Amino acid sequence: MTKRILMVMTSHDILGDTGNKTGMWLEEFASPYYAFLDAGYTVTLASTLGGQVPIDPNSLGDDAMTEDAKRFTEDELARSALSSTIPIEDVTADEFDAIFYPGGHGPLWDLSDNQHSVSLIENMVKAEKPVGAVCHAPIVLKEVKGPDGKPFVDGKEVTGFSNKEEDAMELTSVVPYLVEDELVAKGGKFSQADNFEPHVCESGLLITGQNPASSKPAADKLIARLGH
């Protein structure tokens, strides 16, 4: 049986009160997406509202265009899939073998407290299916509880976009949450590499990546966990 992966993304495209656009960071979608496809998995795309996922314009700049990001821009099928995602309320955990959340700043607004997302992750965990999230997307774990009723990240080694990295982006006062602070507040053992260096944590069913450069390594860990 082919493994089935659900990728869940933001529908939010405004960066706080700045008037600037945000959304999903393309590399954090493209690298895992192609890793999963190349492993022979079936990939389903969902977002908070369904339809087109907004892509952070900064992730389309020359300095951010990785090989996988370029592959996406030339892939009509992938671009079509990203423009017609399923609303998160219409997907259930029993349809999939794993779930993966790409980041970008968007999830800080619309996936941090999203009840459909919380239920989805909790049901995946109950079914002992792995959950992956990279960069800002580990904010989706903020309200998730484990089967014991405690915060799911409590006592787990986790990572995500660090306070130092947010500071380097000069967005600390713009974002509604700091990923590192929220994970630590829920009992997570936050681990980090130097700014923008790849870093992945695997703790039980949870796989988290620190930043865009960590998206492919995080996907590879999920693939290793699931097998073919």
Side-chain angles (χ1 to χ4, degrees):
M1 282 288 289
T2 303
K3 301 291 184 188
R4 297 159 303 168
I5 305 272
L6 177 66
M7 296 183 78
V8 178
M9 289 156 287
T10 184
S11 297
H12 185 89
D13 68 349
I14 301 293
L15 192 61
D17 300 326
T18 65
N20 295 328
K21 290 285 189 184
T22 189
M24 175 193 74
W25 196 263
L26 182 56
E27 179 185 356
E28 296 170 30
F29 164 74
S31 291
Y33 177 74
Y34 288 118
F36 298 144
L37 282 188
D38 294 346
Y41 294 172
T42 299
V43 182
T44 300
L45 307 184
S47 61
T48 41
L49 299 177
Q52 176 70 57
V53 172
I55 297 174
D56 188 315
N58 293 318
S59 71
L60 298 169
D62 288 345
D63 58 340
M65 285 302 278
T66 61
E67 286 305 311
D68 286 321
K70 284 179 194 152
R71 183 175 167 186
F72 170 80
T73 61
E74 295 159 6
D75 184 344
E76 202 172 320
L77 209 59
R79 285 186 287 121
S80 172
L82 199 66
S83 72
S84 53
T85 61
I86 303 167
I88 193 173
E89 62 198 54
D90 293 344
V91 293
T92 58
D94 58 9
E95 300 172 81
F96 304 99
D97 298 297
I99 189 169
F100 190 92
Y101 287 80
H105 280 90
L108 297 177
W109 277 273
D110 68 348
L111 281 166
S112 48
D113 306 280
N114 184 290
Q115 196 47 56
H116 295 296
S117 175
V118 170
S119 299
L120 196 57
I121 296 170
E122 289 179 347
N123 288 333
M124 294 294 287
V125 171
K126 274 181 202 155
E128 300 195 334
K129 297 173 178 177
V131 175
V134 68
C135 199
H136 288 90
I139 199 69
V140 303
L141 304 165
K142 185 167 82 72
E143 302 302 326
V144 174
K145 291 193 166 50
D148 58 2
K150 293 180 184 171
F152 177 51
V153 299
D154 186 28
K156 289 184 172 60
E157 189 181 10
V158 290
T159 191
F161 206 62
S162 66
N163 289 356
K164 285 180 184 172
E165 286 170 318
E166 203 67 84
D167 208 37
M169 300 293 291
E170 300 183 350
L171 290 171
T172 301
S173 60
V174 173
V175 295
Y177 300 109
L178 292 168
V179 175
E180 178 179 337
D181 286 358
E182 294 300 324
L183 294 177
V184 168
K186 295 295 161 96
K189 296 176 178 172
F190 195 84
S191 166
Q192 60 187 289
D194 290 340
N195 283 6
F196 310 109
E197 291 297 315
H199 181 60
V200 177
C201 293
E202 185 172 3
S203 187
L205 293 168
L206 182 61
I207 294 165
T208 47
Q210 183 174 327
N211 44 36
S214 309
S215 49
K216 173 75 160 59
D220 287 341
K221 286 250 188 226
L222 193 61
I223 290 165
R225 180 67 184 265
L226 280 179
H228 292 273

